[in-house]
C-alpha cells in the first residue's frame, strides 16, 4: 500500500541523494558575540572569537546575524560593505577570508549589511579552508513585523530581499544557509533537504518578543521536519540597544533534540555534529518513504527551470 503514496513524487524535481559527508564527525562553534557601534572593534572581536574556537577544535565556525553593525535601519547603510570588491571595501569579509585561510577552517560568516550598486542586502558569506568565498546568501525573507506595544521593525525600509536559496559543499558537509527570518519558512528548509543538505545554518537575531515564543520552536521544527542538524547563532543581548536580541544560540539534532545551547550573554558554544545520527533517525522514522506524493508536492522552482 505504501508504494501507492508515490513518495518519490512528493518533491519536484525528485530529491537529490545526499553525498557522502567528507567527515563523519566534527566540532562546530557558535560565536554569540556582543556587538557595538565600533565597527573596527566588532571585527577584531569576532576574529578573536574565531581563533579561540579553532584552538578548541572547531572545524566550522558560525557567527551571528549583523555582527559588525548595530541592528537598525539607520545603521545598515553606514556599515554596509561592497563584498564583491573585497579588500578595504569589505574589511569584515576580508578578515573572515584571512582567518579561514590561516586557521584552515570553514567559516559561515553570520551576516553583514552588503552594498551592491544602489541596493542593500543582509548577506551571509561562507569561506572555505583556503580562504576563498564559497557562497553568498542574501536574506530571502525580510523581517517586517508590527506588534503594537511590543515591537515594530521593517527591514524592507532599507534592505532588498535576496533571490536565491543557497546550498554549499564544504569540507564538513553540504550546508543550506538561511538568515534569521528565513527559518520561519519551512519550504526553504525542505528545499535544502531535497537538494541533499547535511545540515542547515541560520545566523539570526530574534528579539525579546519573538525569541521566547519562536526561536527554539522553529529550530527544532526545521530539524524534525527534515531530519537534519540545525545550527543557529545570535548576537549576545544588549538591553540598552535599540533592537534587543534574544540570544540562545543553539545546535539541534536530526530528531529535533537540543544538543547544545546557551543563555543570552556573550559566549561560544562548541558541540559535535555526528552524521551517523541522521542515518539512524531516518531509519527509526522513515519520513522519506512516507511522504504522500499522491496528495502534495514541494516544487523547487530553481531546479525545475534549470532542467
Amino acid at each position: 500500500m505504501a508504494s501507492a503514496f508515490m513518495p518519490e513524487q512528493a518533491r519536484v524535481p525528485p530529491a537529490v541523494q545526499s553525498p557522502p559527508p567528507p567527515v563523519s564527525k566534527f566540532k562546530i562553534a557558535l560565536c554569540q558575540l556582543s556587538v557595538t557601534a565600533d565597527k573596527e572593534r566588532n571585527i577584531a572581536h569576532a576574529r578573536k572569537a574565531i581563533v579561540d574556537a579553532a584552538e578548541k577544535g572547531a572545524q566550522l565556525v558560525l557567527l551571528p546575524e549583523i555582527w559588525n553593525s548595530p541592528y537598525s535601519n539607520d545603521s545598515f547603510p553606514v556599515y554596509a560593505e561592497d563584498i564583491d570588491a573585497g579588500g578595504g571595501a569589505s574589511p569584515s569579509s576580508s578578515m573572515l577570508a584571512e582567518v579561514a585561510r590561516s586557521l584552515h577552517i570553514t567559516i559561515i560568516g553570520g551576516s553583514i549589511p552588503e552594498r551592491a550598486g544602489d541596493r542593500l542586502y543582509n548577506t551571509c558569506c561562507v569561506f572555505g579552508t583556503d580562504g576563498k568565498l564559497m557562497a553568498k546568501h542574501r536574506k530571502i525573507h525580510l523581517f517586517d513585523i508590527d506588534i503594537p506595544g511590543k515591537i515594530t521593525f521593517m527591514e524592507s525600509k532599507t534592505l532588498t530581499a535576496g533571490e536565491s536559496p543557497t546550498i554549499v559543499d564544504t569540507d564538513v558537509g553540504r550546508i543550506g544557509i538561511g538568515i534569521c527570518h528565513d527559518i520561519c519558512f519551512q519550504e526553504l528548509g525542505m528545499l535544502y533537504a531535497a537538494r541533499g543538505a547535511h545540515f542547515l545554518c541560520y545566523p539570526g537575531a530574534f528579539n525579546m518578543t519573538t525569541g521566547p515564543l519562536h526561536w527554539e520552536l522553529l529550530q527544532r521544527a526545521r530539524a524534525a521536519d527534515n531530519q537534519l542538524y540545525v545550527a543557529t547563532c545570535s548576537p549576545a543581548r544588549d538591553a540598552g540597544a535599540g533592537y534587543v536580541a534574544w540570544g540562545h544560540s543553539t545546535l539541534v539534532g536530526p530528531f529535533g533534540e537540543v544538543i547544545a545551547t546557551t543563555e543570552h550573554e556573550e559566549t561560544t558554544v562548541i558541540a559535535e555534529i555526528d552524521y551517523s545520527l541522521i542515518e539512524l533517525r531516518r531509519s527509526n522514522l522513515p519520513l522519506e518513504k512516507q511522504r504522500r506524493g499522491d496528495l502534495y508536492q514541494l516544487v523547487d522552482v530553481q531546479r525545475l527551470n534549470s532542467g
Side-chain angles (χ1 to χ4, degrees):
M1 182 64 184
S3 61
F5 295 168
M6 298 184 289
E8 70 284 351
Q9 294 184 27
R11 288 163 166 173
V12 181
V16 173
Q17 183 72 32
S18 296
V23 293
S24 58
K25 297 178 182 179
F26 69 95
K27 285 185 178 178
I28 182 173
L30 317 173
C31 295
Q32 186 163 288
L33 302 172
S34 62
V35 178
T36 70
D38 184 338
K39 186 175 182 180
E40 286 188 9
R41 176 266 177 203
N42 294 336
I43 294 172
H45 195 61
R47 190 187 193 285
K48 183 180 184 308
I50 295 168
V51 170
D52 290 347
E55 287 176 351
K56 292 172 183 171
Q59 292 168 262
L60 174 71
V61 175
L62 176 60
L63 296 186
E65 180 184 27
I66 308 293
W67 57 266
N68 71 343
S69 159
Y71 186 88
S72 75
N73 280 315
D74 290 340
S75 298
F76 296 151
V78 177
Y79 288 74
E81 301 182 4
D82 185 341
I83 294 168
D84 291 341
S90 185
S92 301
S93 63
S94 295
M95 178 277 286
L96 296 179
E98 178 272 321
V99 77
R101 181 178 61 252
S102 64
L103 298 176
H104 202 66
I105 59 172
T106 302
I107 297 177
I108 299 176
S111 77
I112 63 172
E114 178 195 12
R115 185 179 300 281
D118 60 353
R119 294 185 171 183
L120 296 176
Y121 297 93
N122 186 340
T123 301
C124 175
C125 294
V126 181
F127 293 92
T129 55
D130 58 0
K132 291 182 180 175
L133 180 64
M134 302 185 74
K136 191 169 72 169
H137 178 76
R138 289 169 169 166
K139 188 174 187 177
I140 294 172
H141 305 93
L142 296 182
F143 182 61
D144 286 358
I145 188 171
D146 184 16
I147 303 176
K150 294 284 188 180
I151 181 170
T152 299
F153 198 95
M154 299 289 164
E155 271 191 335
S156 61
K157 281 179 65 176
T158 54
L159 301 177
T160 299
E163 295 294 330
S164 296
T166 305
I167 194 161
V168 56
D169 286 308
T170 74
D171 281 12
V172 293
R174 180 170 291 182
I175 307 172
I177 308 291
I179 298 173
C180 200
H181 198 45
D182 286 341
I183 200 173
C184 296
F185 299 87
Q186 68 267 39
E187 298 90 345
L188 184 62
M190 293 165 67
L191 187 150
Y192 287 150
R195 292 186 184 185
H198 295 119
F199 71 102
L200 311 178
C201 282
Y202 296 93
F206 273 42
N207 54 73
M208 299 299 290
T209 300
T210 61
L213 288 169
H214 299 152
W215 181 236
E216 182 181 303
L217 172 72
L218 289 168
Q219 295 172 62
R220 296 183 67 193
R222 297 297 81 84
D225 286 346
N226 301 295
Q227 298 179 309
L228 293 173
Y229 282 92
V230 170
T232 62
C233 189
S234 167
R237 190 179 306 168
D238 176 0
Y243 181 96
V244 182
W246 173 240
H248 296 267
S249 302
T250 303
L251 177 67
V252 180
F255 233 30
E257 73 278 24
V258 173
I259 292 173
T261 190
T262 186
E263 296 294 325
H264 61 268
E265 302 90 353
E266 179 170 84
T267 190
T268 294
V269 178
I270 296 180
E272 183 176 75
I273 286 179
D274 180 351
Y275 284 132
S276 69
L277 274 184
I278 296 177
E279 235 175 277
L280 174 64
R281 295 314 184 194
R282 290 180 176 178
S283 64
N284 294 155
L285 182 61
L287 299 183
E288 189 62 35
K289 296 175 183 175
Q290 298 167 349
R291 296 188 191 282
R292 293 293 302 268
D294 55 325
L295 298 179
Y296 50 75
Q297 295 177 329
L298 171 74
V299 179
D300 186 338
V301 174
Q302 197 173 45
R303 285 177 60 210
L304 195 66
N305 291 342
S306 64

